[in-house]
Every structure is written in C-alpha cells, then in structure tokens.
Amino acid sequence: MRKKFISYAVPCIGDDDIKESDKVLRSDWIATGPKQEEFSNAISKYTNANHSIAVSSCTAALDIAIGAMNFAPESEIITTPFTFAATSNAILYNRCKPVFADIDKETRNIDPKSIEKRITKKTKAVIYVDYAGHPCEMDEIKEIAKKHGLYTIEDAAHSIGAEYRGRKIGSIADVTAFSFHALKNITTGEGGAVSTNDQNLYEKMKMLMNHGIDKSAMDRFGKEADYGYDMKMLGKNYRMTDFQCAIGISQLRKLDSFIKIKSKLSEFYDEELSKIVGIEIPEVKPHVKHAWHLYTVLLGGGIDRDAFFRKMRTMNIGVNVHYIPIYNFTYYKQFNINKNDFPITEDVYRRIITLPLHAKMTKEDAKDVIEAVRTSLN
Ligand SMILES: *Cc1c(COP(=O)(O)O)cnc(C)c1O
C-alpha cells in the first residue's frame, strides 16, 4: 500500500512562477495593473480570442459573462447539472432561471439533443461545460443556438488548452470562462478569465468586473492622467491581483507541457484499466484534443461506488466524485427539479469515480492507483 496519500489533483507551482510573483510583490503595484493586462493578452494569444480579461475566479467570469448579455429577470439559461455548483449559481446571481439538460454518457458533456428539448420562448442562452477537459459538441450546440437566437457561454474551467476540430478553446462560444483555481490545469491560487471575440460583450465585462466603472486604476495613474471616471453599470469587484497574474503568465507557458504529462498518464491508465473487468475507461472523440483536467471511469454493474471509494481512500488513493448533480443540493430543492428527467446523469453519477491525475504524478504513482483499483474490486 502507498505510504503517502495521492490527491486527485495538486497545484503545480514552480520556482519560476514564484520568482515572477516575487518581483511584483516587491514593486509598488500589486493589485490589478500592468500584469493583469499582460496576462489577459497572453490568454488571448494562447486561445486565439480577440479579447480576454483576467478576473478573480471562474465564478466571477461566468457572472460577468451572463451580466454583459443583460437578460430580463426570469429568462431561462440551459446548462448541465453534472458540474460544479458555480456554473448554475452564476445564472441565479443574474436573476435568471437555470434549466438543466441531460448529459452524454461517454463524455459526460451536455447532450445537444437534450438542450433542444428544453428550449422555450424564455430561453436566452446555453452554458456548456467541457467536462474533465473534453470539449463539448460545439458544432451541434452552436447550430441549435443559431436556430433559436441563443447566446453560448462555455464553462472551460476544465479545458484551457483543449481543442475542438483543430481550434483552441476560447473563441468558439460567444464567451468562454476559465478557472485558475489551485486544482485546475494551471493555477494562480484563485483566479479565472473570460475570452470573447465580441467587442461589445468585452467592453461590458471589463466594466462589470470593476464595479461598472469605465476606467481602470491604470487609466487614472500617472502625470498625464485625470482623476475622472464614471460608473455606468452595477458591477462587482472581481479584480485579480498583479502578483497572481504574474504566476498566471508563467503557468500559461507550461500549460502544454502539463497537458502532455497528463495525456501520457491517461494513455497508461486506458491501457491498463481496460484490462480490468468492471471498469469503463473514458471515451475521447477523434476530433478533439483533451486537456485532461480529470480522469474518470464508470464502474460496471453491481459494483458499489461508495464502497469502492472508501476502499481506495483507505489505501491512500485520493479518488473523488465529480459531480453530485446540482439538483440534489438543498438550495436547489426550491426549483422542484425531477431527477427522472435526467436518466443519464443519474446513471453516471451512481457509477463514476475520479482517479488521481496531475502533472506531478509519475508512472509509478499511476501503477499504485491501478494496483489499488484491482485490490478494491477483489
Ligand atoms: C472549478 C469550476 C468552476 C469554478 O471555478 P472557480 O475559479 O473556483 O470559481 C466552475 N465550473 C466548473 C466546471 C469548475 O470545475
């Protein structure tokens, strides 16, 4: 048995990242400023989006994305229930109604056919999540959105670095939201960003992340600058510190190498786990590049997931469950959502387990995980 607990994910911060943030911390500008602009531009360059804004979290990113679209209260936004609570909470912040669609069993992504069934006269947007780092079926989703005049928002908390039909995630949806939380593909501790090709949405999001004010602190700094500014919308303080942005710039340079390590480990998992009866390995569509934020498997019929979870944890393997469907949460009970409308989500939720996968892991670690899977199933 492993002596040391292995977590499903860990932050991968190196001396190079620390050095960059150290420089900023010793300067006179540590809150949002030049490094935030530099990080935002680096995200645009990486994702091929026209505009990006580094903000304090992906939750903030989703909130300002919906806010910029300015929907009337009670508007409906379709999303997946198989995600972190932040995705649909952002809909509620904007006084809109989350309407859940079912998922696809293989990718655990929102099922475009289910989206179409949930559309009403009140539907204004679709928020889809690239689960585990596997891009959604964007062509189909965008076609549905176009047909019904809906905005698309991509919750890419798992998928920076992924590609859909040769295109980097970040400029395909109307707005894409990224997360730089400690356990995501790259990290700034807490952090996030939006990317878009839409100039109008960009300008609104830029205000919404800074109280609705039309000028940044940098715009008002220095000998030539004026003190004046206006507040045009009711925004929030979703600004990211410059010392975090310095870490982000440095982390972004290493993103592709992190993905490479994780994709090699995933291949090894696939190879070994496919030999084990009772384990269904995740499917990767041929037209995508996976970002491998998570490696999840489905347990076959008759295997008790929760008992398996306990056994793995006892053996120091930090398995996890992503996700508890959102409609199960106490707060969401008020919306009277019927579980029976989500047969695939329910089936996947009962059988899914996340195995450890991160860029600090070695093949030996992966072997320990596989060995523990074998032992747990016996
Ligand atoms: C982590 C996560 C978020 C929230 O990201 P934060 O940066 O922590 O706000 C949103 N959606 C999904 C799918 C996530 O995994």
Side-chain angles (χ1 to χ4, degrees):
M1 193 185 81
R2 280 184 70 88
K3 284 214 178 64
K4 200 167 167 261
F5 184 79
I6 180 169
S7 182
Y8 84 88
V10 297
C12 296
I13 300 273
D15 290 340
D16 49 346
D17 305 316
I18 293 165
K19 213 169 115 193
E20 293 301 323
S21 89
D22 187 82
K23 273 191 245 166
V24 175
L25 282 166
R26 289 170 201 281
S27 77
D28 285 339
W29 203 309
I30 64 171
T32 307
K35 282 290 167 188
Q36 190 263 359
E37 198 169 303
E38 194 182 325
F39 186 32
S40 302
N41 291 337
I43 295 163
S44 290
K45 188 152 183 264
Y46 182 85
T47 60
N48 294 316
N50 289 350
H51 311 281
S52 302
I53 311 166
V55 292
S56 55
S57 69
C58 182
T59 308
L62 291 164
D63 188 14
I64 61 172
I66 302 167
M69 292 169 186
N70 202 20
F71 302 129
E74 309 294 315
S75 295
E76 293 174 6
I77 300 179
I78 298 175
T79 191
T80 170
F82 206 60
T83 180
F84 184 57
T87 315
S88 68
N89 287 353
I91 298 172
L92 296 174
Y93 297 161
N94 286 281
R95 292 186 292 163
C96 294
K97 183 184 168 195
V99 173
F100 297 111
D102 209 358
I103 60 170
D104 168 70
K105 180 174 154 248
E106 308 302 337
T107 59
R108 347 303 186 197
N109 281 337
I110 196 164
D111 178 357
K113 285 190 285 298
S114 184
I115 294 175
E116 204 149 26
K117 282 187 203 149
R118 294 333 195 237
I119 292 172
T120 71
K121 283 203 178 70
K122 288 184 169 177
T123 311
K124 297 291 180 216
V126 178
I127 305 181
Y128 53 92
V129 176
D130 301 322
Y131 180 90
H134 189 301
C136 287
E137 278 312 327
M138 255 84 97
D139 281 352
E140 288 176 51
I141 295 171
K142 289 204 75 161
E143 202 179 302
I144 294 166
K146 202 171 156 199
K147 193 169 132 196
H148 297 272
L150 313 177
Y151 276 106
T152 51
I153 298 172
E154 184 160 354
D155 179 341
H158 300 181
S159 60
I160 190 163
E163 290 172 22
Y164 179 75
R165 297 193 190 280
R167 284 175 72 184
K168 273 253 155 43
I169 300 303
S171 65
I172 303 173
D174 292 315
V175 178
T176 304
F178 298 109
S179 176
F180 309 125
H181 173 267
L183 301 183
K184 299 288 162 67
N185 293 321
I186 55 169
T187 186
T188 58
E190 297 276 4
V194 285
S195 296
T196 184
N197 282 344
D198 186 316
Q199 176 82 24
N200 176 46
L201 291 177
Y202 166 68
E203 280 165 15
K204 288 198 170 123
M205 291 191 290
K206 204 168 166 188
M207 284 196 268
L208 286 171
M209 58 83 76
N210 184 30
H211 307 279
I213 289 173
D214 62 354
K215 285 198 176 75
S216 72
M218 239 187 2
D219 294 335
R220 291 180 279 122
F221 180 77
K223 201 170 153 201
E224 308 293 332
D226 190 71
Y227 69 87
Y229 60 85
D230 190 14
M231 192 199 110
K232 294 178 168 166
M233 308 167 82
L234 184 62
K236 290 164 185 148
N237 176 356
Y238 282 155
R239 297 184 307 251
M240 194 180 193
T241 64
D242 259 24
F243 53 95
Q244 287 175 294
C245 290
I247 297 176
I249 295 162
S250 175
Q251 284 265 300
L252 190 58
R253 289 190 206 114
K254 299 187 284 189
L255 172 60
D256 289 339
S257 68
F258 291 162
I259 294 175
K260 205 170 205 169
I261 295 167
K262 292 192 281 185
S263 112
K264 283 243 161 68
L265 289 166
S266 301
E267 270 175 41
F268 182 61
Y269 270 153
D270 281 351
E271 217 176 285
E272 294 301 314
L273 295 170
S274 56
K275 295 177 196 159
I276 303 175
V277 179
I279 299 287
E280 293 174 31
I281 62 166
E283 186 182 310
V284 183
K285 301 271 190 227
H287 53 274
V288 310
K289 182 189 172 200
H290 203 306
W292 291 114
H293 165 53
L294 300 174
Y295 188 92
T296 66
V297 297
L298 295 182
L299 301 177
I303 300 166
D304 180 337
R305 193 269 317 277
D306 291 350
F308 181 86
F309 174 94
R310 283 269 38 105
K311 279 186 199 164
M312 293 289 281
R313 281 274 174 113
T314 313
M315 282 185 282
N316 269 338
I317 310 294
V319 288
N320 220 317
V321 173
H322 297 97
Y323 288 96
I324 301 165
I326 290 178
Y327 49 71
N328 282 336
F329 292 128
T330 301
Y331 187 79
Y332 278 81
K333 294 292 178 205
Q334 62 186 296
F335 303 109
N336 292 315
I337 297 156
N338 185 352
K339 277 182 190 208
N340 298 330
D341 292 339
F342 310 95
I344 312 293
T345 304
E346 283 297 298
D347 177 53
V348 169
Y349 169 53
R350 260 194 306 275
R351 303 202 284 130
I352 203 158
I353 195 135
T354 305
L355 301 180
L357 179 67
H358 56 73
K360 281 184 182 167
M361 256 177 84
T362 63
K363 202 167 167 180
E364 292 308 308
D365 293 325
K367 281 181 183 165
D368 288 347
V369 174
I370 294 157
E371 189 52 39
V373 169
R374 282 211 177 84
T375 312
S376 298
L377 290 177
N378 279 336

